[in-house]
Amino acid sequence: MSDEPSKKPLVGVIFGSKSDLRIMQSAIDTLKDLLVPHEFGIYSAHRTPDRMFEYAESAQRRGLRVIIAGAGGSAHLPGMTAAKTLVPVLAVPVESETSVINSIAALLSMVQMPAGVPTGTLAVGKAGAINAALLAAQILATTDEILYHRLYAYRVRMTESVLRDDDQLPRDPLPESKR
Ligand code: RP5
């Protein structure tokens, strides 16, 4: 499914189950905010393996420059996608709502790719999904100056927001006797 029908997607966001959208929506929203043409969909390594391979094999031809793959559990989606394409794959371990071992298992599975087939693994959960989108945009920005400036503005806004938070911390003035 393409989110910006007028533009050819440059980033593909894929995930193993509808249940992963809860986390992967943050990657989609971040790409949307940065006006990066993207698409997203469900591609399960175990339940729709042929669909996943077809996606990976056609990625380069279709113009995708980065793939973001999110999965939980045994989390084979990013690794198997990377095995079938040279388009860089960023992996997001999806945080399970029900089981701690699920998130940790996904993370450990993703960081154990054998030498020769890399995936770049981000943090578990929402932070990882947002950072995968930012990293994808940063990769594209190496050859896109307008996107570079958009990312720069994102950083400035983030810094300003932290400074505003600091400014608003409750700091009771010391009573005169203690000055
Ligand atoms: C993985 O199994 C998916 O990526 C998902 O995180 C997990 C559970 O899938 P569902 O049972 O919610 O479909 O393949």
Side-chain angles (χ1 to χ4, degrees):
M1 188 192 320
S2 176
D3 217 26
E4 290 212 1
S6 56
K7 290 207 182 135
K8 256 178 84 177
L10 296 175
V11 178
V13 182
I14 58 176
F15 32 95
S17 167
K18 186 177 160 195
S19 65
D20 297 328
L21 184 60
R22 173 179 52 87
I23 297 296
M24 298 310 290
Q25 187 66 51
S26 297
I28 296 165
D29 291 345
T30 304
L31 292 169
K32 213 183 277 184
D33 287 350
L34 292 166
L35 306 178
V36 173
H38 59 281
E39 61 181 13
F40 55 89
I42 300 170
Y43 294 80
S44 169
H46 305 114
R47 293 174 280 203
T48 65
D50 294 340
R51 176 173 155 80
M52 174 197 62
F53 279 151
E54 204 281 316
Y55 186 83
E57 281 171 340
S58 66
Q60 174 83 20
R61 181 172 11 103
R62 294 193 305 107
L64 290 183
R65 303 268 299 280
V66 183
I67 295 171
I68 296 172
S74 58
H76 289 138
L77 179 63
M80 290 310 294
T81 301
K84 291 295 246 180
T85 182
L86 288 176
V87 173
V89 175
L90 303 179
V92 180
V94 169
E95 204 170 356
S96 167
E97 267 178 336
T98 53
S99 144
V100 171
I101 194 174
N102 187 315
S103 320
I104 303 294
L107 172 67
L108 293 179
S109 171
M110 287 174 180
V111 294
Q112 290 190 85
M113 288 298 289
V117 185
T119 62
T121 302
L122 283 298
V124 173
K126 185 176 172 181
I130 293 172
N131 281 349
L134 290 172
L135 198 51
Q138 285 178 228
I139 291 167
L140 296 175
T142 57
T143 55
D144 180 339
E145 209 176 322
I146 295 174
L147 183 54
Y148 178 91
H149 289 295
R150 223 174 273 143
L151 279 161
Y152 190 83
Y154 179 100
R155 286 266 173 116
V156 171
R157 280 199 305 279
M158 194 169 55
T159 304
E160 285 172 352
S161 147
V162 172
L163 294 179
R164 250 193 327 273
D165 287 347
D166 177 71
D167 214 33
Q168 284 163 12
L169 287 180
R171 291 188 178 92
D172 294 334
L174 280 175
E176 255 179 53
S177 57
K178 299 216 167 148
R179 275 186 218 157

